[in-house]
Every structure is written in C-alpha cells, then in structure tokens.
Amino acid sequence: MARVEPSGIDKNLTRYGDTEFSRYLRKAFLSSAGYDGEDLDRPIIGIADTSSEYTTCHRDMPAMVEAVRRGVTQAGGLALAFPTLSLAETQLSPTSMLFRNLMAMGTEEMIRSQPMDGVVLLGGCDKTVPAQLMAAVSAGVPAVSLVTGAMRTGSWHGDRLGACTDCRRYWLRHRAGEVDREEIGEIEQSLCPTGGTCMVMGTASTMACITATLGLMLPGGATPLSGSADRLREAVTTGRRIVGLAEEKAAPLRFLTRHSFRNAAIVLAALGGSTNAVIHLIAIARRAGIELTLEDIHDAARETPVLVNCKPVGTGYMEDFHQAGGLPVLWKALESRLDPDAANVNGKSLGEILNDTPPPAEWQDTIGTLQKPIGPAGALVVLRGSLAPDGALIKRAAASTDRQRHRGPAAVFESPDDVAARIDDPDLGLTPDHVLVMRNAGPVAMGMPEAGSLPIPAYLARQGVVDMVRVSDARMSGTAYGTVVLHCCPEAAVGGPLALVRDGDMIELDVENRRLDLCVDGEELSRRKTEHAPAPAPDRGWRRLYARHVLPAHLGADLDFL
Ligand code: FES
C-alpha cells in the first residue's frame, strides 16, 4: 500500500520519539491560540510575512496578510502567518545582496520544518522576492508569490517623481550645483510618498513581472499599487488559490521549465528591466536544476525590443503600466515570442490566459507592440573580453549612445569607500573620456553592492557631464542609468583581470561587438598577477560562510552548497 504523506497538522512533526505525543503536544499549543478541531483539520497555509519597520516598502503588508487570510479561510484552509528575515534595500550595509541567500536559507527551512501544506510568499523589496522563490523551489512546497506593489508617484514643483530614478537625477543636479541644499531636502520628502516598492522599472518591479511570467504569481499580481483595492483583491484571490494548489500538491517545479525561464528572459528584455534580475533568474534556475546562462539572457534581449515605457529606460511609472493593462497586456504584445504552454499557478497555461487578454489599447502609450516598440532590441548586452573573460553586463537601453564605443584611460578606485573618498578630488585630473574603474565590490569581496554607477565627479558634473564609462565587479540599482558595465567576472577579489588594471591603462568598450578589453599586453598582465594578493576572508559568522561559498555573479551568486 502506498504511504500517505502526512499533511496539515501532522506534517513535519517535532521529533520526541513518540508520534502521537508529538501530535498531542502540537495541538495543545495551537489550542492556546484558540484553534479547535475544525480549524486544525484544514490544510495549513503559511504566510511568509516580511513586515519590518525597517522595510518601509512593506509597510502596507499587515493589511495584505489579513486579505490573504480571508481568501485562505474562504477556500477552507487555515492561514498561519510567520515572520522571516526582511531585507530593506536602502537600510542594509554593505548591501542587501549579502543577505539574499541567508534569507533564502531561513525561509526555506521555515517552510520545510513547520506544518505547512502551501505557502504565500509575501515580499516586494528587491532581494525579498528572489530569496523567497529560491526558498520555495528548494523546499518543494506549493507556493504563490504575492508582492506589496509599487508606490504612487510623488511630485515636486510640478515634476512627477519616482524612486529612485528621479532620486539619482536630482542628486546629480545637486552635485552639479543646479539644485541647492534646501531644494534637495524638499525633493527627499517627495520621492517616496506612500508605502510600496520603487515605482519605476527597478529590481522590485522587474522581479514581480518575472515571477508572474515564471508562473509563480497570479497573472494580475505584478502591477497593482501598494495599498490599492486592486492589490488587496489580488491578495484575497491568492489566498483562495493557494489552498487549491496545496490540495493538488503543485509545488514550484511543476511550473518552472526551460521554456518558462526563456519567457521570463524575453519579458525582462521587453521591460527594459533591471540588470539584477539576471543574477536572480540564474540563481532561481539553478535551484530548479534548469540551465540558464548569460548567453540565454543576451539572446533573448537581442531579439526583443523594449515594449514598456517606464523609467529608467522610458519616461513612465508602474502606475501607468498598471493602468495600461499591466503584465498580461505586455504578454499579449509578446504573444508570438512566448511559449504558450507555460503554466501559471492560477491553473491556466499562458496561451489560455492570453485568449482572454486584449492587446495594448490605442488610448495608452505605456505598452508598445512588436510593430511599434518603445525602444530597440538589445536592452541588455553581455560583454566579454580580456577584462571580463567570464562575462560582464551592460544595460544598453539606459546607456548614452555616444559612449557605447569608447576607448579611454582607466582611473582606478579600490572599493566603494575609495570612490567616496576620492572621486571629487580635482587633483585626479579626470576628464569625460576617463573610464572609471572600481574593483573589490564583487560577491566574494563584499556581497556585491549596488555601487557600480559611480558618481560623476562633481567638478565634471558642474561642467555639464552627465555620463562616463564606468566598469566594476559591482551591481547597480535597477533604477539607475548610464554607460555602466557591471558584474565583471571573475571579480577582482579572486584575481580577475579587474584586479590588474592600473591608472592610465587604456580600456576599450565596444557594446555593438560585445567587447570589453584591457589594452595591456599579456606578459605585463602576468607580471602584475604575481603581485596580486587575495583579500583576507572575514573571520567569522555568515560573512565568512558567504565569502567561502558564494558563486560568481554569472552563475547567480548563490552559495555553492545550496
Ligand atoms: Fe524597496 Fe526600492 S527600496 S523596492
């Protein structure tokens, strides 16, 4: 007779060496919260709650927990919310990315270890959603992702504002002397007017769209704004649906295929989405045992024009995207390119979803079509060359056209702190033609902060310079822009070529031909290599574990044993 897998209250019993005692004790303690036999006979749905007073992007989350609970109860389940690590993008040092895998581990173990037939993953801010997806894939429990949604836009002197593309735009103007201290203070108060995630097509928005495209979020779940009625309705529907998935035992691997990842890569390109999503997608695919490489991302981008008019690539915001129909309408515009068999947690295939979805409407200008795109194909380009033998990434859609073929002398900075200390020093004698190189900011060095869009030196900004070629082993915010080459692999901390660059070396960038080269002969580089000493590893704790086991960016920066 086939063994029946324990479910509900019997799942993952605490081990006391007496199963009946374990069950009895568990029920006794749950009874203390007022639950009775009728409650405890139901499928148990966990709600992974990432509320935190530090994570202001999630400040509308308590209402969402209650909305999910309502849906779960209506569908016959018992909802139990539990806290997990919460990663606030702007509040963590040196970077939230250092803790993505820690959050993934913690969330996975809480899903795996508690009585839970299904889980709603309530996230939003940049690293929370990828961490939760990695966790759910590894835990193998039915899961639906639900995000808090984006903020509404703000306004200053009639200018519509969104975090954080406009944060950067005004900060550059402040450094250039065009916006004074009082004005930048007013702007600071206007950039983030509500709860919710950054309202441009940054990493949070990109990951929400990618999650739904992978099939792990309901089709309409990516774009409703935080705190809106649409967002709360999405939460209730998610609560209802997870109970069905739990009964079907439909874990994430049922939805994740090579084709769903290819669909996600196409959508990433059409969004003009965040470079960070590349790392996260590769990490999630790796957890699912599906091969996804930088070349797959490049190929998808090469064939896909930008179809969404959102900052930093375009001019609009997430609320415009939502009002124009949101992600399903974008899928419709891409219908001929996407695999229609990809399955969604709502129980339908993408093809079935698109049968009921209208094309982009005439009245709006936020979602384009393949015939009338918002921008050309090739938003993301994977570069290779002597400075990045294992690959580097540039968001061409957000780079200056006249800088994409460039040869210039290197100005080398040893770390983000070194940039902060010296970038504005006029004695460096930097010109717009210099290539700003920053190293020791990769995964091993410090968890890969979003420091790759180095500030333009203030004295050049005051002359009207708004972009320079920048090269590093760091990441950059999905909300940032400029001719910024990121994720150089191998990173400097493990002896990659970036570690060997000296001030004045010529660097050549050729985006069209996908090249990034250090123009120094091989013999000299070999000599410099003998002088390079690896940085010491952190001496204890998570940071030591991370530095010893993190994979390079082009492999997703997960830990090698996960
Ligand atoms: Fe949380 Fe941007 S800081 S989404």
Side-chain angles (χ1 to χ4, degrees), residues 13-289:
L13 284 172
T14 312
R15 301 293 203 274
Y16 294 112
D18 178 340
T19 304
E20 283 306 310
F21 175 73
S22 297
R23 190 166 194 272
Y24 154 77
L25 208 59
R26 175 171 283 178
K27 289 180 82 170
F29 276 82
L30 284 168
S31 296
S32 79
Y35 298 119
D36 62 14
E38 180 169 336
D39 291 311
L40 299 180
D41 278 346
R42 294 172 174 226
I44 298 183
I45 303 301
I47 304 173
D49 180 0
T50 47
S51 302
S52 161
E53 290 187 358
Y54 285 95
T55 314
T56 52
C57 303
H58 295 189
R59 78 172 164 85
D60 294 324
M61 202 168 272
M64 292 182 66
V65 170
E66 292 317 308
V68 173
R69 190 189 306 283
R70 178 150 58 95
V72 169
T73 306
Q74 288 170 357
L78 171 65
L80 296 178
F82 63 101
T84 72
L85 213 58
S86 180
L87 304 179
E89 193 56 33
T90 56
Q91 311 298 322
L92 287 159
S93 177
T95 167
S96 65
M97 185 64 181
L98 181 61
F99 309 108
R100 181 199 65 177
N101 301 339
L102 183 63
M103 179 176 169
M105 282 174 81
T107 306
E108 174 188 340
E109 296 306 338
M110 287 303 99
I111 295 172
R112 195 203 295 287
S113 309
Q114 300 181 109
M116 205 176 298
D117 298 300
V119 60
V120 174
L121 305 163
L122 207 36
C125 198
D126 292 14
K127 304 306 176 299
T128 58
V129 172
Q132 290 179 325
L133 296 184
M134 291 160 74
V137 171
S138 295
V141 169
V144 182
S145 170
L146 176 68
V147 291
T148 51
M151 286 182 263
R152 290 179 197 284
T153 48
S155 171
W156 182 75
H157 289 193
D159 190 14
R160 200 175 172 205
L161 294 183
C164 244
T165 305
D166 299 314
C167 319
R168 296 169 197 286
R169 180 165 61 89
Y170 272 106
W171 189 251
L172 177 62
R173 290 186 59 190
H174 175 56
R175 284 174 57 77
E178 296 168 15
V179 169
D180 67 26
R181 188 159 291 281
E182 193 179 328
E183 289 172 322
I184 201 74
E186 291 169 10
I187 292 164
E188 182 184 288
Q189 296 302 305
S190 310
L191 283 162
C192 302
T194 68
T197 50
C198 292
M199 58 289 234
V200 298
M201 193 53 74
T203 305
S205 304
T206 304
M207 285 309 302
C209 294
I210 278 179
T211 304
T213 307
L214 287 172
L216 298 180
M217 177 189 290
L218 295 177
T223 59
L225 297 190
S226 188
S228 66
D230 281 349
R231 174 54 63 195
L232 290 171
R233 277 190 283 271
E234 204 63 40
V236 176
T237 312
T238 299
R240 290 187 193 125
R241 181 60 193 136
I242 186 64
V243 178
L245 286 170
E247 285 163 353
E248 295 164 31
K249 301 198 184 314
L253 285 183
R254 182 180 291 188
F255 305 95
L256 299 178
T257 63
R258 171 103 180 129
H259 296 297
S260 62
F261 277 97
R262 187 174 147 68
N263 283 352
I266 290 169
V267 166
L268 168 62
L271 294 169
S274 166
T275 47
N276 293 318
V278 175
I279 299 182
H280 301 320
L281 256 182
I282 291 173
I284 297 160
R286 184 176 168 275
R287 293 283 184 117

Side-chain angles (χ1 to χ4, degrees), residues 266-267 270 304 307 329-338 370:
I266 290 169
V267 166
T304 310
L307 297 191
V329 172
L330 174 65
W331 289 339
K332 188 72 177 177
L334 289 165
E335 190 168 15
S336 61
R337 306 279 175 94
L338 299 176
L370 291 171

Side-chain angles (χ1 to χ4, degrees), residues 175 410-425 428 430 436-441 446 449 451 454-455 457 498 501-503:
R175 284 174 57 77
V412 181
F413 297 87
E414 294 297 335
S415 66
D417 285 349
D418 188 29
V419 173
R422 295 196 297 130
I423 192 78
D424 291 332
D425 180 355
L428 290 182
L430 298 178
L436 304 178
V437 174
M438 182 185 68
R439 59 190 171 210
N440 300 316
M446 58 189 309
L454 281 69
L498 207 58
V501 185
R502 301 272 164 87
D503 282 332

